[in-house]
mmCIF file with all atom_site columns, all heavy atoms in Angstrom:
data_model
loop_
_atom_site.group_PDB
_atom_site.id
_atom_site.type_symbol
_atom_site.label_atom_id
_atom_site.label_alt_id
_atom_site.label_comp_id
_atom_site.label_asym_id
_atom_site.label_entity_id
_atom_site.label_seq_id
_atom_site.pdbx_PDB_ins_code
_atom_site.Cartn_x
_atom_site.Cartn_y
_atom_site.Cartn_z
_atom_site.occupancy
_atom_site.B_iso_or_equiv
_atom_site.pdbx_formal_charge
_atom_site.auth_seq_id
_atom_site.auth_comp_id
_atom_site.auth_asym_id
_atom_site.auth_atom_id
_atom_site.pdbx_PDB_model_num
ATOM 1  N N   . LEU A 1 24 ? -50.719 27.923 34.890 1.00 74.00 ? 47 LEU A N   1
ATOM 2  C CA  . LEU A 1 24 ? -51.546 29.118 35.037 1.00 74.00 ? 47 LEU A CA  1
ATOM 3  C C   . LEU A 1 24 ? -52.107 29.568 33.697 1.00 74.00 ? 47 LEU A C   1
ATOM 4  O O   . LEU A 1 24 ? -53.211 30.127 33.634 1.00 74.00 ? 47 LEU A O   1
ATOM 5  C CB  . LEU A 1 24 ? -50.734 30.242 35.678 1.00 74.00 ? 47 LEU A CB  1
ATOM 6  C CG  . LEU A 1 24 ? -50.429 30.080 37.175 1.00 74.00 ? 47 LEU A CG  1
ATOM 7  C CD1 . LEU A 1 24 ? -49.473 31.170 37.637 1.00 74.00 ? 47 LEU A CD1 1
ATOM 8  C CD2 . LEU A 1 24 ? -51.716 30.129 37.991 1.00 74.00 ? 47 LEU A CD2 1
ATOM 9  N N   . LEU A 1 25 ? -51.346 29.351 32.627 1.00 73.00 ? 48 LEU A N   1
ATOM 10 C CA  . LEU A 1 25 ? -51.824 29.734 31.297 1.00 73.00 ? 48 LEU A CA  1
ATOM 11 C C   . LEU A 1 25 ? -53.052 28.933 30.893 1.00 73.00 ? 48 LEU A C   1
ATOM 12 O O   . LEU A 1 25 ? -53.862 29.394 30.088 1.00 73.00 ? 48 LEU A O   1
ATOM 13 C CB  . LEU A 1 25 ? -50.720 29.549 30.266 1.00 73.00 ? 48 LEU A CB  1
ATOM 14 C CG  . LEU A 1 25 ? -49.549 30.540 30.332 1.00 73.00 ? 48 LEU A CG  1
ATOM 15 C CD1 . LEU A 1 25 ? -48.466 30.151 29.328 1.00 73.00 ? 48 LEU A CD1 1
ATOM 16 C CD2 . LEU A 1 25 ? -50.032 31.955 30.054 1.00 73.00 ? 48 LEU A CD2 1
ATOM 17 N N   . ARG A 1 26 ? -53.194 27.731 31.441 1.00 77.00 ? 49 ARG A N   1
ATOM 18 C CA  . ARG A 1 26 ? -54.332 26.884 31.090 1.00 77.00 ? 49 ARG A CA  1
ATOM 19 C C   . ARG A 1 26 ? -55.598 27.225 31.872 1.00 77.00 ? 49 ARG A C   1
ATOM 20 O O   . ARG A 1 26 ? -56.691 26.787 31.512 1.00 77.00 ? 49 ARG A O   1
ATOM 21 C CB  . ARG A 1 26 ? -53.972 25.416 31.347 1.00 77.00 ? 49 ARG A CB  1
ATOM 22 C CG  . ARG A 1 26 ? -52.790 24.910 30.508 1.00 77.00 ? 49 ARG A CG  1
ATOM 23 C CD  . ARG A 1 26 ? -52.397 23.512 30.929 1.00 77.00 ? 49 ARG A CD  1
ATOM 24 N NE  . ARG A 1 26 ? -51.222 23.034 30.193 1.00 77.00 ? 49 ARG A NE  1
ATOM 25 C CZ  . ARG A 1 26 ? -50.593 21.897 30.459 1.00 77.00 ? 49 ARG A CZ  1
ATOM 26 N NH1 . ARG A 1 26 ? -51.028 21.128 31.469 1.00 77.00 ? 49 ARG A NH1 1
ATOM 27 N NH2 . ARG A 1 26 ? -49.535 21.533 29.757 1.00 77.00 ? 49 ARG A NH2 1
ATOM 28 N N   . LEU A 1 27 ? -55.429 27.978 32.960 1.00 77.00 ? 50 LEU A N   1
ATOM 29 C CA  . LEU A 1 27 ? -56.593 28.333 33.769 1.00 77.00 ? 50 LEU A CA  1
ATOM 30 C C   . LEU A 1 27 ? -57.479 29.312 33.012 1.00 77.00 ? 50 LEU A C   1
ATOM 31 O O   . LEU A 1 27 ? -56.988 30.121 32.223 1.00 77.00 ? 50 LEU A O   1
ATOM 32 C CB  . LEU A 1 27 ? -56.144 28.945 35.089 1.00 77.00 ? 50 LEU A CB  1
ATOM 33 C CG  . LEU A 1 27 ? -55.371 28.028 36.049 1.00 77.00 ? 50 LEU A CG  1
ATOM 34 C CD1 . LEU A 1 27 ? -54.917 28.804 37.279 1.00 77.00 ? 50 LEU A CD1 1
ATOM 35 C CD2 . LEU A 1 27 ? -56.231 26.832 36.468 1.00 77.00 ? 50 LEU A CD2 1
ATOM 36 N N   . PRO A 1 28 ? -58.788 29.285 33.270 1.00 77.00 ? 51 PRO A N   1
ATOM 37 C CA  . PRO A 1 28 ? -59.704 30.186 32.556 1.00 77.00 ? 51 PRO A CA  1
ATOM 38 C C   . PRO A 1 28 ? -59.722 31.602 33.106 1.00 77.00 ? 51 PRO A C   1
ATOM 39 O O   . PRO A 1 28 ? -60.570 32.396 32.719 1.00 77.00 ? 51 PRO A O   1
ATOM 40 C CB  . PRO A 1 28 ? -61.065 29.500 32.750 1.00 77.00 ? 51 PRO A CB  1
ATOM 41 C CG  . PRO A 1 28 ? -60.932 28.795 34.057 1.00 77.00 ? 51 PRO A CG  1
ATOM 42 C CD  . PRO A 1 28 ? -59.509 28.316 34.129 1.00 77.00 ? 51 PRO A CD  1
ATOM 43 N N   . PHE A 1 29 ? -58.809 31.920 34.014 1.00 81.00 ? 52 PHE A N   1
ATOM 44 C CA  . PHE A 1 29 ? -58.757 33.274 34.579 1.00 81.00 ? 52 PHE A CA  1
ATOM 45 C C   . PHE A 1 29 ? -57.290 33.702 34.705 1.00 81.00 ? 52 PHE A C   1
ATOM 46 O O   . PHE A 1 29 ? -56.368 32.905 34.542 1.00 81.00 ? 52 PHE A O   1
ATOM 47 C CB  . PHE A 1 29 ? -59.458 33.344 35.938 1.00 81.00 ? 52 PHE A CB  1
ATOM 48 C CG  . PHE A 1 29 ? -59.038 32.264 36.903 1.00 81.00 ? 52 PHE A CG  1
ATOM 49 C CD1 . PHE A 1 29 ? -57.862 32.363 37.647 1.00 81.00 ? 52 PHE A CD1 1
ATOM 50 C CD2 . PHE A 1 29 ? -59.829 31.130 37.062 1.00 81.00 ? 52 PHE A CD2 1
ATOM 51 C CE1 . PHE A 1 29 ? -57.481 31.369 38.527 1.00 81.00 ? 52 PHE A CE1 1
ATOM 52 C CE2 . PHE A 1 29 ? -59.447 30.121 37.944 1.00 81.00 ? 52 PHE A CE2 1
ATOM 53 C CZ  . PHE A 1 29 ? -58.268 30.246 38.680 1.00 81.00 ? 52 PHE A CZ  1
ATOM 54 N N   . THR A 1 30 ? -57.086 34.975 35.013 1.00 83.00 ? 53 THR A N   1
ATOM 55 C CA  . THR A 1 30 ? -55.742 35.538 35.068 1.00 83.00 ? 53 THR A CA  1
ATOM 56 C C   . THR A 1 30 ? -55.104 35.321 36.437 1.00 83.00 ? 53 THR A C   1
ATOM 57 O O   . THR A 1 30 ? -55.804 35.159 37.435 1.00 83.00 ? 53 THR A O   1
ATOM 58 C CB  . THR A 1 30 ? -55.782 37.045 34.776 1.00 83.00 ? 53 THR A CB  1
ATOM 59 O OG1 . THR A 1 30 ? -56.603 37.684 35.768 1.00 83.00 ? 53 THR A OG1 1
ATOM 60 C CG2 . THR A 1 30 ? -56.371 37.306 33.396 1.00 83.00 ? 53 THR A CG2 1
ATOM 61 N N   . PRO A 1 31 ? -53.758 35.338 36.521 1.00 86.00 ? 54 PRO A N   1
ATOM 62 C CA  . PRO A 1 31 ? -53.070 35.166 37.805 1.00 86.00 ? 54 PRO A CA  1
ATOM 63 C C   . PRO A 1 31 ? -53.440 36.232 38.830 1.00 86.00 ? 54 PRO A C   1
ATOM 64 O O   . PRO A 1 31 ? -53.363 35.975 40.039 1.00 86.00 ? 54 PRO A O   1
ATOM 65 C CB  . PRO A 1 31 ? -51.589 35.263 37.429 1.00 86.00 ? 54 PRO A CB  1
ATOM 66 C CG  . PRO A 1 31 ? -51.529 34.864 35.991 1.00 86.00 ? 54 PRO A CG  1
ATOM 67 C CD  . PRO A 1 31 ? -52.801 35.362 35.393 1.00 86.00 ? 54 PRO A CD  1
ATOM 68 N N   . ALA A 1 32 ? -53.836 37.428 38.382 1.00 89.00 ? 55 ALA A N   1
ATOM 69 C CA  . ALA A 1 32 ? -54.185 38.496 39.323 1.00 89.00 ? 55 ALA A CA  1
ATOM 70 C C   . ALA A 1 32 ? -55.319 38.069 40.249 1.00 89.00 ? 55 ALA A C   1
ATOM 71 O O   . ALA A 1 32 ? -55.373 38.509 41.416 1.00 89.00 ? 55 ALA A O   1
ATOM 72 C CB  . ALA A 1 32 ? -54.575 39.761 38.559 1.00 89.00 ? 55 ALA A CB  1
#
Side-chain angles (χ1 to χ4, degrees):
L47 287 173
L48 289 175
R49 298 174 183 173
L50 295 176
F52 49 81
T53 60

